[in-house]
């Protein structure tokens, strides 16, 4: 996303794109419904824990590790094999995201570096910082042209400036842009998809749209499917109004599907308590 232009709040300008306001309103109503569920008043911590688990499973699925929920729940060792490591990384990120909310608005680049460090679970020199010239990126499921390290640095700084400055844009718009920009840039040598979706989660929670972390957008992204996800991302990368709007609406639909998942969890808990 270009951060230059006549408007002082380019994120807010995206809210005026066709279909975006309707998506924002639809998401708000969906979130309000699940927050109004009677079970939420008494057992929100349980629902948040389940949302984190299901969100991690969905994010890992989009990174090529499409495991059954019960397998993710059962497994304790995630060290063997690329898929297991991706699932483990997604689980760690889901747990870590809530610890970073207070510093996201002040130092978003520090948060992103921390997310990559947590995902990679490694002390290698390339981990926890943006990639440098000549470093290879391991992100096989995203086949977009890879920006060079200089462009990555400039655009990350621009994104950080937008976050720090604040915006009147709806949380959905900001979350979608953060998510899309990180996928477009792939600023780290690995786990960029997982980091991008964790950052989207941080924005949705920290903005106040989903303060109890019970609306896992990652579930919705996985349910909509990788092909739809990548097609919407192509629209974001195109930079056209239609493409940008399509990506934001896609992210909105993902949040709504995450809400549906947690609503089903509420209903199951309610039946068990009856």
């Amino acid at each position: 996303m270009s951060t230059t232009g006549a408007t002082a709040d380019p994120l807010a300008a995206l809210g005026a794109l066709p279909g975006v306001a309707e998506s924002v309103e639809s998401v708000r109503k969906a979130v309000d419904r699940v927050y109004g569920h009677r079970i939420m008043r008494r057992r929100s911590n349980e629902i948040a824990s389940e949302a984190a688990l299901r969100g991690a499973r969905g994010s890992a699925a989009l990174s090529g590790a499409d495991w059954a929920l019960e397998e993710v729940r059962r497994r304790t060792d995630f060290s063997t094999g690329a898929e297991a490591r991706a699932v483990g990384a997604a689980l760690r990120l889901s747990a870590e995201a809530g610890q970073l909310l207070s510093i996201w608005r002040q130092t978003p680049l520090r948060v992103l570096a921390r997310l990559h460090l947590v995902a990679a679970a490694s002390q290698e020199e390339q981990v926890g910082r943006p990639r440098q010239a000549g470093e290879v990126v391991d992100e096989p499921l995203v086949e977009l042209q890879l920006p060079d390290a200089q462009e990555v640095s400039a655009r990350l700084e621009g994104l950080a400036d937008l976050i720090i400055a604040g915006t009147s844009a709806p949380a959905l718009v900001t979350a979608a842009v953060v998510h899309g920009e990180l996928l477009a840039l792939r600023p780290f040598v690995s786990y960029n998809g997982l980091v991008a979706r964790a950052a989207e989660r941080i924005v949705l929670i920290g903005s106040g749209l989903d303060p109890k972390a019970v609306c896992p957008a990652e579930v919705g992204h996985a349910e909509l499917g990788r092909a739809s996800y990548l097609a919407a991302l192509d629209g974001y990368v195109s930079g056209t109004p239609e493409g940008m709007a399509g990506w934001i609406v896609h992210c909105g639909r993902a949040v709504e599907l995450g809400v549906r998942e947690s609503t089903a969890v509420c209903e199951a808990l309610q039946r068990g308590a009856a």
Side-chain angles (χ1 to χ4, degrees):
M1 175 189 176
S2 172
T3 60
T4 60
T7 177
D9 191 351
L11 293 178
L14 296 177
L17 293 174
V20 171
E22 293 83 354
S23 181
V24 167
E25 180 63 19
S26 182
V27 167
R28 167 53 67 188
K29 289 180 178 178
V31 172
D32 286 348
R33 283 194 298 271
V34 73
Y35 271 76
H37 198 286
R38 58 185 296 184
I39 289 292
M40 277 290 294
R41 291 193 291 272
R42 294 183 286 112
R43 303 177 71 175
S44 62
N45 288 342
E46 291 176 66
I47 297 161
S49 294
E50 189 65 18
L53 180 70
R54 296 181 184 217
R57 192 218 72 83
S59 190
L62 286 170
S63 288
D66 193 1
W67 288 15
L69 180 63
E70 291 311 311
E71 174 65 10
V72 177
R73 199 189 302 277
R74 178 193 67 82
R75 182 74 75 94
T76 57
D77 180 9
F78 298 96
S79 62
T80 304
E83 287 194 7
R85 287 192 292 272
V87 174
L91 288 168
R92 291 191 298 273
L93 286 172
S94 188
E96 185 75 9
Q99 310 303 312
L100 300 172
L101 297 173
S102 62
I103 59 174
W104 169 254
R105 281 289 303 274
Q106 286 73 44
T107 55
L109 296 185
R110 179 181 166 194
V111 170
L112 293 176
R114 174 63 184 170
L115 290 174
H116 185 243
L117 188 66
V118 168
S122 166
Q123 297 299 318
E124 293 181 8
E125 193 270 335
Q126 302 100 320
V127 170
R129 61 151 174 81
R131 57 185 167 85
Q132 297 176 359
E135 292 182 338
V136 176
V137 175
D138 180 16
E139 201 74 39
L141 300 179
V142 179
E143 299 178 349
L144 298 168
Q145 182 176 350
L146 194 66
D148 64 30
Q150 185 175 5
E151 180 180 351
V152 167
S153 179
R155 287 173 61 175
L156 280 178
E157 289 289 346
L159 181 64
D161 288 345
L162 289 176
I163 299 301
I164 293 168
T167 176
S168 62
L172 172 64
V173 172
T174 304
V177 168
V178 168
H179 185 172
E181 193 71 357
L182 292 174
L183 276 179
L185 294 178
R186 281 144 293 159
F188 303 108
V189 296
S190 60
Y191 296 116
N192 290 286
L194 294 177
V195 169
R197 291 183 288 275
E200 178 187 49
R201 182 177 180 82
I202 286 172
V203 174
L204 292 172
I205 298 169
S207 67
L209 177 64
D210 179 25
K212 295 184 178 179
V214 297
C215 306
E218 307 97 321
V219 168
H221 286 303
E223 186 171 337
L224 290 167
R226 191 180 302 148
S228 179
Y229 183 69
L230 294 177
L233 177 62
D234 282 343
Y236 175 86
V237 172
S238 76
T240 66
E242 297 80 10
M244 297 288 287
W247 170 251
I248 295 167
V249 170
H250 181 91
C251 290
R253 181 60 179 147
V255 175
E256 291 185 67
L257 290 171
V259 169
R260 188 177 71 178
E261 186 87 354
S262 287
T263 301
V265 172
C266 289
E267 294 295 329
L269 290 173
Q270 182 168 281
R271 287 193 298 272

